Amino acid sequence: MIKLLWTHIWPSNKPGMKSRVIVSVGFLLASKVLTVQVPFIFKHAIDFLNENALNFETMANALTTTSVSLMIGYGIARSTAYGFSELRNAIFAVVTNSSIRDIARNVFIHLHNLDLPFHLDKQTGALSKAIDRGTRGINFILGALVFNIVPTILEVSLVSGILTQGV
């Protein structure tokens, strides 16, 4: 099933779709890298405050400026990660809709090529409902696979790699 869906996600005759998939994966990677980095930015901000808050020899303005800058960096990283995630969704929506449209068209053509007794014996309303459910199911599978399962595996891998490095 994944192989069949892959042919619609990465069609050989549509370079525009391939570029959308590549850009979408790029946004996914950027979002996950920033998501993993946000706790480290926050850690550095807290460490800086802990180390320098009790040091009376430094200027109070330097402490305030640095801590505020680190907090702003934390906020920017969080918002950018969220923005990359939303851009990925917007760009990949065209790929998903095109895949669903192609598969639904293939099913529709297949149904029209069936013989007359098949159409006389079956309930066409039920077939239409089955096609609609199938396209919604494909949308769900693509969404779950591309936006939930693969990103979660990527994020767990990134965090595991960081933890094994001992950072």
Side-chain angles (χ1 to χ4, degrees), residues 30-47:
S31 172
K32 290 305 170 184
V33 166
L34 280 172
T35 299
V36 169
Q37 289 300 318
V38 165
F40 292 106
I41 294 170
F42 197 60
K43 172 202 174 289
H44 291 299
I46 298 300
D47 287 348

Side-chain angles (χ1 to χ4, degrees), residues 91-103:
I91 290 173
F92 199 76
V94 174
V95 176
T96 302
N97 290 336
S98 174
S99 300
I100 291 170
R101 187 175 45 249
D102 289 345
I103 292 170

